[in-house]
Amino acid sequence: MTMSRIPFPFEIKDVEENLAKELMVHYTGELTGFVQVGPKKYFFPHKYKEEAEDIYNIPVKPDDVYVVTFPRSGTTWTQELVWLVKNDLDFESAKETPLPFRFPFLEISVIIHPVFLKPMIEDSIANPRKFHVADTAKPGAVKAANLKSPRFIKSHLPLSLLPPGLLDTAKVVYVARDPRDSAVSFYHLSRTYAIQGAPKDFKTYWNYFIKGLHHYSPIFEHVKEAWNMRHHPNLLFIFYEELSKDLPAVIRRVSDFLGKEITQEQVEKLADHLNFNNFKDNTSVNHVLMKNADLAVEGEAPFVRKGKVGGWRDYFDDEMVEQADRWLKENLADTDLRYPSWELTDFPTKDRKNSINVDYMRTPQGRT
């Protein structure tokens, strides 16, 4: 029986031509333009138009596991954690097979402009024995259909743009990070890879970012969608700051969520594997594929960079700190979402009791 196709429910609008041209001066990986999607105006490269409905209609399987995040929120860290827990800590297979093949990026084909993708495909044909980015850059719906079960899928799309039956059918692990740290990390990633591109100075990038003018933005709408579903039994909401502060506790929560038993010895072994000092040197997860495809800009940051909580302070001048404070308060006025790393002074007195989610940190799967 063939399932009926669901029309994509959101309007997709082209970003105004002059603004698109201005942004393409900085975001050099995009050569056609950009779109904004739905009432929240999620921002994507122009190619998203071609795949939006196909991605929305991907059939979901009960044994699927998705890791969903806004970019640079601990995605790779969580993918490796989830894959190893689900695969009984098979470190050998994890070492032998790069993470993008074990846990593919659903919409990477949207991010890579055809001009950049063409030489990757040509190289993959000329050198079939090599691992290639092109092998993982098929359209998302095609890629998902070709994956063997159980499928592990990474996406940076907000929940509203993923298949509507996702949470009622499959498991989703969502990770959120202080948006100031995410912005700094996303800036470095974009500067590092030719398929992205970013302004030369962070302040210019930041002023686009807070206006929702970078891939997958606006970040608060993205996170709030998942936060509002955090009590759903098939969604596990994790903060990046929890991974940094108490990795063994997160490993246990993920194991419980995925229905896998894990011993204390296994927790310690996995925590050591995922320890940031070890993780950043792990070539299976640190996107050696991008370097092999000549996509990395010489002298820029590695894919797995510093992993520092609060590192944004090294990049913000006084004006940006005040600007960020206003941005945070405006965007969180309608929600009880607060990040564990925030200090009591980050919010007005009436909100201080909610500044650090102590109860959230203590309860399984963050249920209050």
Side-chain angles (χ1 to χ4, degrees):
M1 180 177 177
T2 303
M3 295 182 64
S4 59
R5 190 172 175 86
I6 305 171
F8 188 69
F10 303 108
E11 184 179 12
I12 302 176
K13 290 185 176 180
D14 288 347
V15 169
E16 190 272 324
E17 184 178 0
N18 288 335
L19 176 57
K21 287 180 178 179
E22 176 187 330
L23 292 170
M24 283 188 285
V25 170
H26 303 294
Y27 307 156
T28 52
E30 179 54 41
L31 305 173
T32 303
F34 306 93
V35 297
Q36 290 178 308
V37 182
K40 297 175 183 177
K41 297 184 177 180
Y42 287 117
F43 183 97
F44 297 104
H46 196 266
K47 197 178 176 186
Y48 178 73
K49 272 186 173 182
E50 299 174 18
E51 294 196 40
E53 188 168 298
D54 290 339
I55 290 172
Y56 197 74
N57 280 276
I58 289 173
V60 182
K61 300 180 180 181
D63 56 358
D64 287 347
V65 181
Y66 280 64
V67 166
V68 180
T69 71
F70 186 85
R72 310 309 286 173
S73 298
T75 322
T76 306
W77 215 0
T78 307
Q79 285 177 268
E80 183 78 345
L81 191 168
V82 166
W83 192 92
L84 283 166
V85 166
K86 195 69 175 175
N87 286 277
D88 302 316
L89 274 62
D90 185 356
F91 292 107
E92 193 60 35
S93 294
K95 181 180 180 180
E96 291 176 355
T97 307
L99 187 62
F101 293 94
R102 291 184 277 125
F103 214 130
F105 181 8
L106 180 64
E107 70 277 3
I108 190 173
S109 56
V110 169
I111 304 302
I112 303 178
H113 193 276
V115 168
F116 289 91
L117 185 57
K118 183 180 178 181
M120 295 182 206
I121 294 172
E122 291 172 349
D123 187 47
S124 69
I125 294 170
N127 300 285
R129 294 187 179 182
K130 285 174 58 180
F131 283 134
H132 288 277
V133 175
D135 296 334
T136 71
K138 298 179 177 71
V142 173
K143 184 162 44 188
N146 291 336
L147 290 175
K148 295 179 180 179
S149 293
R151 301 185 302 184
F152 297 88
I153 296 174
K154 158 193 167 180
S155 179
H156 292 314
L157 294 173
L159 293 176
S160 60
L161 302 186
L162 288 167
L166 178 60
L167 275 185
D168 291 331
T169 307
K171 295 284 189 182
V172 177
V173 179
Y174 187 95
V175 193
R177 184 183 190 183
D178 185 315
R180 295 164 292 191
D181 279 332
S182 290
V184 169
S185 188
F186 206 179
Y187 168 72
H188 281 290
L189 175 80
S190 300
R191 290 279 300 159
T192 296
Y193 293 111
I195 59 171
Q196 294 258 316
K200 291 182 179 180
D201 64 292
F202 175 71
K203 193 167 187 176
T204 299
Y205 172 85
W206 167 252
N207 281 301
Y208 288 131
F209 185 86
I210 62 175
K211 293 173 184 174
L213 297 175
H214 196 228
H215 301 355
Y216 301 99
S217 298
I219 186 171
F220 286 111
E221 296 303 328
H222 197 298
V223 176
K224 283 190 281 188
E225 284 193 22
W227 178 255
N228 291 339
M229 297 299 294
R230 69 192 183 280
H231 300 307
H232 193 292
N234 280 344
L235 187 138
L236 177 64
F237 191 105
I238 296 170
F239 286 106
Y240 179 95
E241 292 78 7
E242 294 177 277
L243 283 162
S244 180
K245 182 179 180 181
D246 194 348
L247 187 53
V250 176
I251 291 171
R252 293 187 192 96
R253 283 175 58 201
V254 170
S255 299
D256 288 345
F257 177 68
L258 297 177
K260 303 290 286 189
E261 293 186 4
I262 191 165
T263 67
Q264 178 61 27
E265 181 181 357
Q266 289 174 318
V267 168
E268 292 172 1
K269 188 173 183 180
L270 183 52
D272 182 67
H273 175 80
L274 295 170
N275 178 282
F276 197 82
N277 289 329
N278 297 327
F279 196 67
K280 65 183 177 64
D281 295 326
N282 183 342
T283 56
S284 177
V285 301
N286 206 1
H287 280 228
V288 69
L289 292 178
M290 292 291 197
K291 295 178 182 177
N292 290 343
D294 296 325
L295 293 178
V297 177
E298 191 68 30
E300 292 293 342
F303 186 83
V304 177
R305 203 173 61 90
K306 292 184 177 181
K308 183 179 178 182
V309 172
W312 62 269
R313 292 180 176 86
D314 298 334
Y315 293 82
F316 283 54
D317 59 26
D318 290 344
E319 179 187 13
M320 294 166 72
V321 170
E322 292 179 7
Q323 188 182 35
D325 285 346
R326 292 192 300 271
W327 179 62
L328 296 170
K329 290 166 187 172
E330 288 170 3
N331 282 279
L332 296 177
D334 63 346
T335 178
D336 60 354
L337 168 66
R338 301 293 183 265
Y339 293 76
S341 62
W342 291 357
E343 300 169 359
L344 294 178
T345 55
D346 281 341
F347 284 87
T349 304
K350 66 178 182 179
D351 290 331
R352 286 184 182 175
K353 62 185 178 66
N354 290 323
S355 294
I356 301 177
N357 276 300
V358 177
D359 290 336
Y360 179 90
M361 298 283 280
R362 289 176 179 169
T363 55
Q365 298 188 27
R367 297 195 182 125
T368 54

